Amino acid sequence: MSLVVPLRRAAERMASYHPPLEGRGGMLRLDFNENTVGPPPGVMRALAGLTPERIVSYPEYQAAEERLARYFGVHAENLIVTNGVDDGLRLIADGFAEAGEKALIVEPTYAMYRFYAELLGASVIALRYDDRLRFPLEEVVRVLRRSRPRILFVANPNNPTGSLLRPAELRRILDAARHTMVIVDEAYTDFSGGSVTGWISRRPNLIVVRTFSKAAGMAGLRIGCLLAGAEVAGALRRIHSPYAVNSAALAAALAVVRHPAPVRRYAREVVAARRELERALRRMGVIVYPSAANFLLVDFGPRAPEIVAGLRRRGILLRDRSSDFGRIGWVRITVGPRAHLRTLLRAMEELWKPGRS
Ligand SMILES: *Cc1c(COP(=O)(O)O)cnc(C)c1O
């Protein structure tokens, strides 16, 4: 079927994006790196406390932005609230991607970087982690200098590898990115610690991205933030939909930053559980990659599809990432608290014995 009006050329070329599986309700969802317990209690109270007046009115942002900025250690002029990070990534692509210009990514990484860059017509230069999942720093620096891409997206820690760039490596990238906006996506920083948010005042080519979808347990509410120098933030604010973020998400995010202790506790518990899961899987002979986030990337080898299907029948969802690597075997396991991990390990011990699924 041809459309009455054709899609923009870059949109026409897009492969269709396969959204997450539906029907995940009632399962142990270790497939999308969500919080597996629930949002902090303050979030539920904030939602229950929304007045009819708040619902009928368009959202007001100023006070909330000031409070969120304080939480992230920046000024309100440095912050843009977005409808999840995905909206923020699209905003960045809207601002800086251009037909005929380049965007740089290092794969495997978060799929939306390529998606929005291509949608906005940029040509994507995709470097690769090597087979030991090391970041190709020298190559990135070379491409930044030689090809002058408009945008570089990096997730730190990266999804799905779990790997973390050190501050010195990020400095090297930012120094080389003389003509490039560098987006450092810190979706998992609650689990890794560390942030380069403090650098935005000195680095006019840096945009830091934070989300409430992961540690804070609010993936269903859709809210995140971009943090950047005042000039970049101001330019992006000019082209952002004025009411992209709804009042419920805003109230919930404020509840999180007013009482951050539950999120910190959750992150600590997940890190302890991740260590335990890593040890247990290694004891079983599974190859596990070191991770700084709330998930582990493992290599189940040729049995990966069978293991993933077997766990699914037992009500546990994992994410098969084999397609990222061009070889069957790679699976990403979201880590929740230790109670959830024991459920997973009991099922794994049954399945991992050869010949049983
Ligand atoms: C999950 C994830 C996000 C998603 O953020 P939303 O705020 O839910 O849109 C962003 N970046 C990375 C690297 C992620 O893994």
Side-chain angles (χ1 to χ4, degrees):
M1 285 265 292
S2 61
L3 301 172
V4 174
V5 176
L7 284 176
R8 208 157 39 76
R9 267 192 295 278
E12 183 66 50
R13 281 194 300 269
M14 298 290 292
S16 70
Y17 172 69
H18 299 288
L21 296 170
E22 300 273 324
R24 299 163 67 233
M27 312 273 268
L28 180 51
R29 295 179 296 274
L30 307 182
D31 53 348
F32 279 92
N33 301 344
E34 297 152 346
N35 175 313
T36 61
V37 173
V43 166
M44 300 314 291
R45 280 197 298 274
L47 294 177
L50 284 174
T51 58
E53 188 184 19
R54 288 291 293 286
I55 307 281
V56 297
S57 328
Y58 283 96
E60 291 185 10
Y61 294 110
Q62 194 183 338
E65 282 172 351
E66 277 165 14
R67 188 65 191 82
L68 290 170
R70 198 140 36 93
Y71 175 74
F72 290 117
V74 301
H75 299 291
E77 62 177 8
N78 301 115
L79 172 137
I80 302 176
V81 279
T82 60
N83 194 315
V85 160
D86 290 351
D87 174 49
L89 297 174
R90 168 145 193 167
L91 178 61
I92 291 165
D94 265 335
F96 299 109
E98 181 117 61
E101 299 287 345
K102 300 177 189 86
L104 175 59
I105 57 176
V106 180
E107 289 183 325
T109 191
Y110 189 51
M112 293 296 104
Y113 306 150
R114 178 187 278 279
F115 180 83
Y116 290 123
E118 285 180 347
L119 184 60
L120 276 298
S123 47
V124 172
I125 304 177
L127 302 178
R128 301 274 313 168
Y129 282 79
D130 71 9
D131 42 13
R132 289 171 57 196
L133 301 185
R134 282 173 308 199
F135 186 87
L137 181 62
E138 296 312 316
E139 234 182 310
V140 166
V141 166
R142 245 192 327 273
V143 171
L144 285 170
R145 293 202 175 120
R146 198 179 47 212
S147 302
R148 302 185 170 193
R150 289 287 180 95
I151 315 176
L152 163 63
F153 291 106
V154 280
N156 203 43
N158 186 40
N159 170 14
T161 58
S163 50
L164 188 68
L165 289 169
R166 291 188 302 273
E169 295 171 303
L170 288 167
R171 268 197 295 276
R172 200 93 208 279
I173 290 170
L174 286 160
D175 287 342
R178 303 276 298 281
H179 308 273
T180 305
M181 270 300 154
V182 178
I183 293 84
V184 178
D185 182 346
E186 296 185 336
Y188 300 101
T189 193
D190 299 274
F191 306 103
S192 65
S195 167
V196 294
T197 301
W199 297 6
I200 59 170
S201 53
R202 286 171 286 129
R203 297 281 190 176
N205 57 343
L206 171 64
I207 304 175
V208 179
V209 169
R210 301 288 292 264
T211 182
F212 288 87
S213 292
K214 302 288 157 67
M218 290 169 33
L221 284 171
R222 315 302 306 132
I223 183 165
C225 292
L226 303 183
L227 310 165
E231 256 181 283
V232 168
L236 290 177
R237 196 176 294 111
R238 266 205 337 260
I239 60 167
H240 196 204
S241 311
Y243 296 111
V245 176
N246 69 72
S247 299
L250 210 55
L254 286 178
V256 168
V257 304
R258 282 198 193 103
H259 302 287
V263 174
R264 292 204 187 114
R265 256 198 312 278
Y266 179 79
R268 269 201 305 276
E269 168 62 21
V270 164
V271 170
R274 187 185 73 212
R275 296 203 176 106
E276 196 174 313
L277 178 63
E278 192 174 338
R279 276 196 300 273
L281 289 171
R282 288 219 167 102
R283 271 199 303 276
M284 294 167 67
V286 176
I287 297 168
V288 183
Y289 288 88
S291 168
N294 68 334
F295 54 84
L296 284 177
L297 184 67
V298 306
D299 186 355
F300 285 141
R303 296 187 62 205
E306 165 203 337
I307 302 287
V308 170
L311 288 171
R312 189 180 171 81
R313 279 197 297 280
R314 287 164 172 78
I316 303 170
L317 300 176
L318 306 187
R319 189 85 191 276
D320 193 327
R321 301 266 38 155
S322 299
S323 63
D324 283 341
F325 295 91
R327 171 173 72 69
I328 281 176
W330 304 80
V331 173
R332 195 188 63 199
I333 307 174
T334 302
V335 182
R338 279 166 284 196
H340 286 168
L341 167 163
R342 294 199 183 106
T343 309
L344 168 70
L345 281 176
R346 268 197 302 278
M348 270 297 300
E349 274 156 14
E350 277 178 49
L351 283 166
W352 190 244
K353 292 177 198 143
R356 293 194 36 201
S357 60

